[in-house]
């Protein structure tokens, strides 16, 4: 009895708790001024994401064309974007960070805003105007709310490459200077300053620049103006940053003789040239009061940042011309392709959070903290195909033996890349682990997730350990990982890896090892060998080297999967030769050193295709294998026979694992499904579907409450166990149903027909409702009771006053009853009562009300907060307002369904009436006139009664 009580309950349901989907595939990026939300491009759609929670808030409906430029107004109220179709689309950004399922529609669309693609756009500080620069050298200034062009500037010698507004603000001045300037840069290397004020526009003819700055020799990619309007900083692909004084009103001495009025009024001066020794893609000025670690701040300080081809953000002192510090890590010995992927394509300064957001060519978005000079957050835009996944517990102490809050806090992903992704399980924050030179093919964890092992196409395996924070330092949400061992020796790609399930404690470790360490590791390769590696000299958090221990010939074909038993005594290998081989591990630690051997115990044969995955049971001596023959097989390790076969997938089974002390299994396959199986009855109890391609990666958390699946569609799904929630919900629904049924019985006993009918309609039980109408007493039974159509006057009153939505639901039940001869009598009686008691307008209005109610229910089912934004709110209101005639289609369908069956019942009754005359005639002939004419009058009265009965029934 005790063992039965201790046995865990089987899991029956998993819900989609969280998804890591593509965040940024290509195109521009924008951040709200407070740094809390991020707009990125995924395909042809713009995506709004909550940065801290890592949750998608909404998507903005695109026009099926790629997005070329976008920006967010400083008030965070509008998103403005341009697409390849040359259209300008203006959206209102939802005020709340509650996820929405519906696409956000634009409030304004300008079909052909430019005659050429727009690559840069910028909103002014007041969120009133938008400047856009196109590839044909035209710059337009738009009124955002009204959607018309206020200024048009031509004359740029090619593609417009950068824009900046200059609205000077001097805190010491009593009256704010009404100066509005737009600064542009183009591929002709010139920087132009346009005055947007009405008076200046009239004086210059409306389109001529107030000044043209020449200093760059290549295209300028970044512009920014100081808050007081004095300094302009520009950076370009000529590897220099220029500092301009644009407040100067005294012309240079050599130009004074030309006598041009505009030059005497406004003549910017080049103040300083700073070589940055890399192509600059983004440049901007920092706020004078920005608190930089180790650098004094103040009103007189002029500091700026640059981002470019080296993938680093540098902070500069503009007056001294030197680098204060660098954000990011410079990659050593990087290939040309890796350097190209790491370069920065844009950098955004967020003063509210003292953060610089850098956007890289490899779709990664990095958040650098200026106050701590560290990487505070990293968002990976696109993961490509997910090949493998495993949970990690970098902060778990070695003494912890049971799952705790520090277990499975991160998940590692191997994708179609040489970089390993490590994600936090609670947010989108991630880190990239660099080290392999080719694609990483497999992952495994050791010491309960404290270390990570990876195998790659570069024919090597690596051991990674988390970097411990220094004393006094706060631990990062995702720690950095360092390679502590490299295993080289295979002749081909390493496609399978398995670490020992146990680790040495410091006091039990072999001599020569420092502190806590691992035991051994196995790698399987396309060279058809399995190698055993001694890791006793590899500590869990220090750098060390490893030595090759033993190697054995395993298979005639590629090795797909390896697994080590929980007690570290057995190894199993799955291969393309359709077999799984079980090996005994001989690992001996002695004073002379460490010795390791493998001895083949048996071979599991029975699959018709290659074996993709092998997994030992955690509680029993069993082995599970997944194969290309679409099945999962369970094997007995005593005699290596197949004891159970699980069929249900429609394509190759790629991953399999045990749950619930071996009572259940979970599998993933090329059909994009994850299935949960009961081992005892070989039954699939749950199917999880959120992928559109092969599910290569599957990982189960230590407490078995979370399953992670990753597929070739670059989507990672976290499935949360919701068995208890479903059971509680079912129990609650059952209790409510019992309570309602009791109330229904009470209403019937008290002859409270109104509440009984309303409750039956609310419960959605047409059978109970039919029984109620069928058991009503006939008027002839009670004699003195007032005549009624349904058989009871109270029920007639209920039908006369029934609300619109309930009346429509009742008529739908009548339609269903009318389709069967057994229940048609009740249906005809109720339909007759409704037609007699309610005017036609009431019935039509009832279906209109039902349509409006359904629309309101659909709107209420949408996530809260959607009604609050202007776009979504208008759309929902348009759907919820009950318009006349909305239910006409439903009413017509109902009548079309009632007519043929009613006509059939009428024909049947007429035939019955005719048959009754024949029977009457036969009976009279059989009596042979025995009763004579005494019964003629009675027969006539009986015939009239039959006619009346037929008429009522019809």
């Amino acid at each position: 009895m005790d063992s039965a009580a201790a046995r865990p309950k089987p899991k029956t349901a998993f819900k989609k708790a969280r998804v890591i989907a593509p965040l940024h595939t290509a195109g521009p990026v924008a951040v709200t001024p407070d740094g809390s939300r991020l707009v990125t491009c995924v395909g042809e759609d713009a995506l709004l994401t909550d940065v801290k929670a890592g949750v998608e808030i909404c998507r903005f409906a695109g026009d099926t064309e790629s997005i070329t430029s976008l920006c967010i107004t400083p008030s965070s109220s509008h998103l403005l974007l341009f697409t390849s179709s040359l259209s300008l689309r203006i959206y209102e950004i939802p005020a709340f960070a509650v996820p929405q399922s519906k696409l956000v529609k634009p409030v304004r669309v300008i079909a052909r805003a430019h005659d050429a693609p727009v690559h840069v756009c910028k909103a002014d500080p007041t969120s009133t105007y938008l400047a856009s620069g196109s590839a044909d050298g035209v710059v337009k200034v738009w009124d955002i709310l009204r959607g018309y062009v206020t200024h048009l500037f031509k004359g740029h010698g090619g593609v417009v490459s950068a824009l900046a507004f200059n609205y000077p603000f001097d805190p010491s001045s009593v009256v704010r200077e009404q100066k509005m300037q737009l600064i542009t840069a183009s591929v002709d290397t010139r920087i132009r300053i346009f005055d947007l004020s009405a008076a200046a526009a009239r004086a210059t003819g409306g389109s001529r620049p107030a000044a043209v700055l020449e200093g760059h020799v290549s295209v300028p990619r970044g512009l920014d103006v100081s808050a007081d309007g004095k300094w302009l900083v520009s950076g370009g692909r000529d590897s220099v940053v220029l500092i301009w004084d644009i407040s100067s009103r005294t012309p240079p001495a050599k130009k004074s003789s030309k006598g041009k009025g505009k030059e005497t009024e406004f003549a910017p001066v080049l103040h300083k040239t700073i070589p940055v020794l890399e192509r600059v893609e983004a440049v901007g000025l920092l706020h004078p009061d920005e608190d930089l670690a180790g650098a004094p701040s103040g009103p007189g300080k002029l500091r700026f940042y640059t981002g470019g081809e080296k993938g680093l953000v540098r902070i500069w002192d503009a007056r001294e011309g030197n680098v204060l510090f660098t954000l990011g890590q410079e990659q050593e010995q990087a290939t040309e392709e890796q350097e190209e992927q790491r370069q920065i394509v844009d950098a955004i300064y967020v003063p509210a959070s003292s953060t610089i957001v850098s956007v890289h060519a490899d779709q990664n978005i990095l958040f650098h903290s200026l106050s701590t000079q560290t990487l505070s957050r990293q968002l990976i835009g696109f993961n490509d195909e997910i090949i493998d996944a495993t949970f990690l517990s970098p902060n778990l102490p070695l003494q912890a033996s049971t799952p705790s809050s520090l277990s499975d806090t991160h998940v590692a992903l191997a994708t179609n890349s040489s970089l390993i992704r490590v994600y936090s399980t609670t947010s989108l924050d991630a880190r990239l682990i660099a080290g392999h030179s080719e694609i990483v093919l497999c992952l495994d964890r050791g010491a309960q997730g404290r270390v990570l092992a990876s195998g790659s196409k570069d024919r090597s395996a690596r051991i990674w350990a988390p970097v411990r924070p220094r004393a006094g330092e706060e631990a990062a949400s995702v720690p950095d990982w360092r390679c502590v061992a490299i295993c080289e020796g295979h002749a081909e790609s390493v496609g399978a890896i398995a670490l020992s399930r146990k680790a040495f404690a410091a006091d039990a470790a072999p001599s020569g090892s420092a502190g806590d360490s691992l035991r051994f590791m196995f790698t399987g390769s396309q060279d058809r060998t399995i190698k055993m590696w001694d890791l006793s000299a590899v500590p869990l958090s220090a750098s060390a080297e490893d030595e090759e221990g033993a190697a054995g010939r395993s298979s005639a074909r590629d090795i797909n999967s390896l697994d080590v038993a929980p007690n570290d005594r057995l190894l199993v290998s799955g291969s393309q030769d359709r077999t799984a081989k079980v090996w005994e591990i001989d690992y001996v630690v002695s004073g002379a050193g460490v010795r390791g051997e493998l001895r083949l115990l048996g071979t599991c044969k029975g699959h018709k295709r290659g074996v993709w995955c092998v997994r030992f049971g955690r509680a029993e001596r069993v082995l599970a294998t997944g194969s290309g023959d679409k099945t999962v097989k369970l094997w007995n390790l005593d005699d290596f026979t197949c004891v159970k076969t699980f069929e249900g997938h429609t394509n190759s089974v790629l991953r399999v694992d045990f749950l619930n002390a071996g009572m259940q299994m979970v599998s993933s396959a090329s059909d994009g499904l994850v299935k949960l199986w009961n081992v005892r009855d070989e039954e699939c109890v749950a199917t999880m579907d959120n992928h559109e391609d092969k599910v290569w990666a599957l990982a189960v958390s230590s407490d078995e409450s979370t399953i992670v699946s990753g597929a070739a569609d670059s989507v990672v799904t976290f499935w949360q166990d919701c068995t208890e929630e479903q059971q509680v919900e079912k129990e609650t629904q059952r209790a409510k149903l019992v309570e309602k049924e009791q109330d229904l019985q009470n209403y019937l006993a008290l002859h409270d027909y109104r509440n009984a009918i309303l409750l039956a309609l609310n419960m959605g039980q047409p059978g109970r409702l039919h029984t109620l109408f069928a058991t009503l007493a006939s008027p002839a039974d009670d004699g003195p009771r007032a005549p009624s159509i349904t058989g009871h006057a109270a029920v007639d009153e209920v039908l006369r006053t029934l609300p619109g939505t309930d009346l429509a639901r009742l008529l739908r039940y009548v339609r269903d009853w009318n389709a069967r001869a057994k229940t048609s009598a009740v249906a005809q009686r109720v339909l007759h009562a409704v037609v007699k008691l309610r005017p036609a307008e009431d019935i039509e209005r009832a279906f209109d009300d039902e349509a409006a109610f359904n629309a309101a229910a659909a709107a209420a089912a949408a996530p809260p907060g959607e009604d609050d934004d202007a776009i979504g709110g208008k759309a929902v209101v348009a759907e919820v307002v009950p318009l006349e005639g909305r239910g006409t289609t439903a009413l017509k369908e109902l009548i079309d369904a009632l007519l043929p069956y009613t006509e059939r019942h009428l024909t049947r009754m007429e035939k019955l009436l005719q048959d009754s005359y024949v029977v009457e005639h036969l009976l009279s002939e059989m009596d042979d006139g025995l009763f004579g004419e005494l019964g003629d009058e009675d027969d006539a009265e009986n015939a009239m009664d039959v006619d009346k009965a037929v008429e009522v029934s019809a």
Side-chain angles (χ1 to χ4, degrees), residues 3 49 53 56 176 200 368 404 502 578 590 675 752:
S3 62
T49 305
E56 176 184 323
R176 180 168 182 173
H368 303 276
S404 65
K502 298 180 180 179
R578 299 175 290 182
S590 62
K675 288 182 177 289
D752 188 354

Side-chain angles (χ1 to χ4, degrees), residues 325-354:
F325 56 86
T326 301
L327 301 173
Q329 296 181 350
E330 192 165 0
Q331 192 172 358
E332 299 179 0
Q333 300 178 351
T335 64
E336 185 176 348
E337 182 181 356
Q338 289 175 335
E339 288 182 353
E340 184 178 349
Q341 290 295 314
R342 280 180 51 84
Q343 68 181 2
I344 294 175
V345 296
D346 195 10
I348 305 166
Y349 173 47
V350 185
S353 57
S354 297

Side-chain angles (χ1 to χ4, degrees), residues 882-904:
L883 301 176
E884 186 177 354
R886 172 176 285 185
T888 304
T889 303
L891 179 58
K892 183 179 182 301
E893 292 175 354
L894 180 78
I895 295 174
D896 290 344
L898 285 171
L899 281 177
Y901 286 103
T902 302
E903 291 175 355
R904 183 183 301 177

Side-chain angles (χ1 to χ4, degrees), residues 741-768:
E741 288 184 350
Q742 184 60 51
D743 289 342
L744 183 60
Q745 296 296 334
N746 294 340
Y747 290 144
L748 291 175
L750 296 172
H751 300 290
D752 188 354
Y753 293 112
R754 179 178 183 81
N755 286 327
I757 293 174
L758 290 176
L759 184 57
L761 288 170
N762 185 34
M763 293 170 64
Q765 294 189 353
R768 290 289 185 88

Side-chain angles (χ1 to χ4, degrees), residues 348-676:
I348 305 166
Y349 173 47
V350 185
S353 57
S354 297
T355 301
I356 291 181
V357 181
S358 61
V359 183
H360 296 253
D362 57 1
Q363 293 97 33
N364 292 327
I365 303 171
L366 277 61
F367 289 70
H368 303 276
S369 173
L370 290 172
S371 55
T372 61
Q373 299 183 16
T374 58
L375 180 65
S376 59
R377 191 181 304 274
Q378 179 171 350
L379 303 181
I380 298 175
F382 187 63
N383 281 320
D384 208 350
E385 293 188 22
I386 310 296
I387 300 174
D388 204 356
T390 185
F391 279 99
L392 296 176
S393 309
N395 301 318
L396 187 68
L398 187 65
Q399 294 75 21
S401 57
T402 58
S404 65
S405 59
L406 298 177
S407 299
D408 306 327
T409 55
H410 299 78
V411 62
L413 304 177
T415 67
N416 199 15
S417 165
S418 62
L419 303 174
I420 302 172
R421 275 86 164 153
V422 178
Y423 276 90
S424 167
T425 55
T426 58
S427 68
L428 283 180
D429 195 9
R431 296 293 182 272
L432 295 174
I433 305 178
H436 285 289
S437 58
E438 296 286 344
I439 294 174
V440 177
L441 298 176
C442 53
L443 298 174
D444 195 21
R445 67 174 190 170
Q448 297 179 329
R450 300 177 186 88
V451 294
L452 173 67
S454 60
S456 169
K457 271 190 175 181
D458 61 9
R459 299 176 292 181
S460 71
R462 289 176 179 253
I463 311 296
W464 311 86
V467 177
R468 305 294 179 187
R470 298 186 182 92
E473 275 190 6
E474 185 179 353
S477 61
V478 181
D480 292 325
W481 292 72
R482 182 184 305 154
C483 180
V484 295
I486 303 176
C487 306
E488 295 179 331
H490 280 291
E492 295 292 340
S493 302
V494 178
I497 196 166
L499 280 166
S500 60
R501 302 308 173 203
K502 298 180 180 179
F504 286 121
D507 53 355
S511 59
S513 62
D516 304 331
S517 64
L518 299 167
R519 301 183 72 199
F520 54 80
M521 179 181 70
F522 292 95
T523 55
S525 169
Q526 287 184 357
D527 60 12
R528 303 171 187 172
T529 62
I530 297 175
K531 290 184 181 291
M532 182 178 182
W533 308 84
D534 173 29
L535 302 181
S536 59
V538 181
L540 300 185
S541 58
S543 178
E545 295 183 357
D546 57 289
E547 297 179 358
E548 185 176 342
R553 191 77 178 179
S554 166
S555 172
R557 295 197 180 183
D558 297 348
I559 299 168
N560 291 331
S561 180
L562 295 173
D563 192 36
V564 176
N567 58 6
D568 279 355
R569 293 181 181 178
L570 297 176
L571 170 74
V572 61
S573 61
S575 170
Q576 283 296 103
D577 63 2
R578 299 175 290 182
T579 65
K581 295 186 177 181
V582 181
W583 311 74
E584 183 181 10
I585 302 172
D586 186 9
Y587 182 74
V588 180
V589 179
S590 62
V594 177
R595 180 174 58 86
E597 291 182 1
L598 286 178
R599 184 168 60 255
L600 181 63
L601 292 181
T603 303
C604 301
K605 298 180 179 180
H607 281 295
K608 299 177 182 179
R609 294 287 187 273
V611 177
W612 281 107
C613 183
V614 290
R615 192 70 67 198
F616 280 110
R618 299 188 181 94
E620 299 178 358
R621 285 179 56 82
V622 292
L623 169 70
T625 58
S627 167
D629 60 9
K630 311 174 188 177
T631 64
V632 178
K633 289 184 180 290
L634 198 66
W635 308 82
N636 188 346
L637 290 178
D638 294 328
D639 54 7
F640 307 105
T641 57
C642 177
V643 293
K644 289 183 184 295
T645 300
F646 301 85
E647 297 180 349
H649 283 290
T650 59
N651 214 324
S652 302
V653 179
L654 303 175
R655 292 290 184 271
V656 65
D657 208 342
F658 283 93
L659 286 174
N660 221 358
M663 294 171 56
Q664 293 180 299
M665 288 193 306
V666 61
S667 63
S668 65
S670 296
D671 56 10
L673 301 177
V674 179
K675 288 182 177 289
L676 181 67

Side-chain angles (χ1 to χ4, degrees), residues 6 47 79 117 218 569 658 849 912 915:
L47 182 70
L79 170 68
S218 185
R569 293 181 181 178
F658 283 93
D849 293 344
L912 181 61
D915 292 345

Side-chain angles (χ1 to χ4, degrees), residues 72-78 123-130 144-145 167:
I72 297 175
T73 58
S75 62
S76 300
S77 60
H78 289 83
D124 79 319
T126 64
S127 303
T128 306
Y129 301 106
L130 167 71
I144 294 176
L145 295 180
Y167 285 19

